[in-house]
Amino acid sequence: MNDVLRDRVVPVLRQRGFRGSMPHFRCVVDDTLRLLTFQFRSSGGSFVVELGHCASGDFTTSYGAVIPQSKMNVTYLSPRSRFRLGATDPLDDHWFDFAGRDNGCDLSATEVLAFLDSDGDRLWSA
């Protein structure tokens, strides 16, 4: 799945101005840092795409650590400030299941790209 995401999704993220490497990506839009992280289920077979945003520049966590913008990722945000791509509600969950499906990796990558197009901007500005 990692290879398919690198081949199909990461180039699209790059075209949209994202920097970083698997699993964490960031992009500055105006004065906002948009964040995207891929998180795989520890037992395998599925993953989530978490989105979040914060002011551009260094980020101070709730426990006082200062994270440089170049190292910032979704995991530093509070859970209430994270959104799962494909979820129907900001508090819902959505997993991309690739195991056990014919062409599961390609189908999951296609789903991620479709949700980025349909929901990405809305979730980043929520």
Side-chain angles (χ1 to χ4, degrees):
M1 188 71 241
N2 272 316
D3 290 342
V4 173
L5 290 172
R6 280 188 193 102
D7 291 346
R8 297 205 36 223
V9 177
V10 172
V12 172
L13 293 175
R14 298 269 186 253
Q15 289 172 351
R16 295 178 183 193
F18 281 84
R19 294 178 177 230
S21 58
M22 286 294 283
H24 305 295
F25 297 89
R26 67 200 63 78
C27 174
V28 176
V29 176
D30 298 322
D31 60 349
T32 301
L33 182 62
R34 292 181 173 187
L35 304 165
L36 181 146
T37 294
F38 295 93
Q39 179 185 351
F40 285 85
R41 190 181 302 266
S42 60
S43 59
S46 61
F47 64 94
V48 295
V49 180
E50 284 196 311
L51 306 179
H53 60 87
C54 60
S56 59
D58 293 347
F59 179 81
T60 303
T61 67
S62 60
Y63 50 90
V66 177
I67 311 300
Q69 179 174 300
S70 64
K71 300 292 183 186
M72 184 59 186
N73 65 65
V74 172
T75 62
Y76 291 112
L77 298 174
S78 71
R80 288 190 143 145
S81 298
R82 302 177 193 181
F83 305 96
R84 297 243 166 126
L85 191 64
T88 56
D89 182 273
L91 300 176
D92 281 345
D93 216 4
H94 181 82
W95 289 84
F96 295 91
D97 295 313
F98 58 90
R101 296 195 307 174
D102 290 341
N103 299 316
C105 293
D106 285 325
L107 290 171
S108 291
T110 299
E111 291 167 358
V112 168
L113 292 170
F115 280 122
L116 277 174
D117 285 340
S118 65
D119 297 347
D121 287 336
R122 178 182 55 83
L123 292 173
W124 271 305
S125 61

